[in-house]
Amino acid sequence: MRAEEIPPGVQEVILPSGERALAYSTGPTNPPPAPTALAAPVAQPIPAWAKATALLAPTVGGGIGMAAVGLSTAAPGLIAMSHALWSAVALIATGGTAAAILIGRVRARLGGAQRPHITQHITATGLFGRANGTINHR
């Protein structure tokens, strides 16, 4: 059969045994047109997200670089400030302890004779027994 005599939707195929046969095709009935010449690629517009990303990439990189330079410049000052803050905390703690000791000694001298001495004697019978006690003022 000649190629012009084959109806549309039917193709000539070669079977694994080498025999030629006609078969219905499931693809397009018309063969695709052959390219006549190499066409120049058509320029596609650049998406807006790609433009924004391309513009932000050097800015973000520069910002990270400047932050690193700033931290390296400020590091000695930050270390000195942390030492100064810890020294201030130690001074406040020492001053508070000294003030508490001084106030305790002054109160002991001023009111040493006036302070009452209280003793307590508490007894209880058994593990869950009721407790009784006496308080002695001297």
Side-chain angles (χ1 to χ4, degrees):
M1 242 178 153
R2 293 184 306 193
E4 297 87 25
E5 296 176 355
I6 298 176
V10 176
Q11 303 180 302
E12 183 179 2
V13 294
I14 300 175
L15 299 175
S17 63
E19 186 180 348
R20 292 182 176 200
L22 294 177
Y24 289 106
S25 71
T26 57
T29 57
N30 296 332
T36 56
L38 293 175
V42 179
Q44 298 289 330
I46 298 173
W49 64 268
K51 288 180 185 177
T53 304
L55 291 174
L56 282 176
T59 306
V60 171
I64 291 171
M66 291 304 292
V69 169
L71 283 175
S72 68
T73 304
L78 293 173
I79 291 170
M81 191 182 330
S82 74
H83 288 307
L85 287 173
W86 280 115
S87 299
V89 167
L91 180 66
I92 290 170
T94 305
T97 304
I101 292 171
L102 181 66
I103 289 171
R105 285 187 181 178
V106 168
R107 283 188 177 170
R109 280 192 182 166
L110 292 177
Q114 300 169 359
R115 257 178 136 175
H117 185 75
I118 301 173
T119 58
Q120 294 181 343
H121 183 69
I122 301 173
T123 58
T125 57
L127 181 62
F128 297 106
R130 188 171 185 177
N132 296 320
T134 58
I135 297 175
N136 300 319
H137 294 276
R138 285 196 248 163

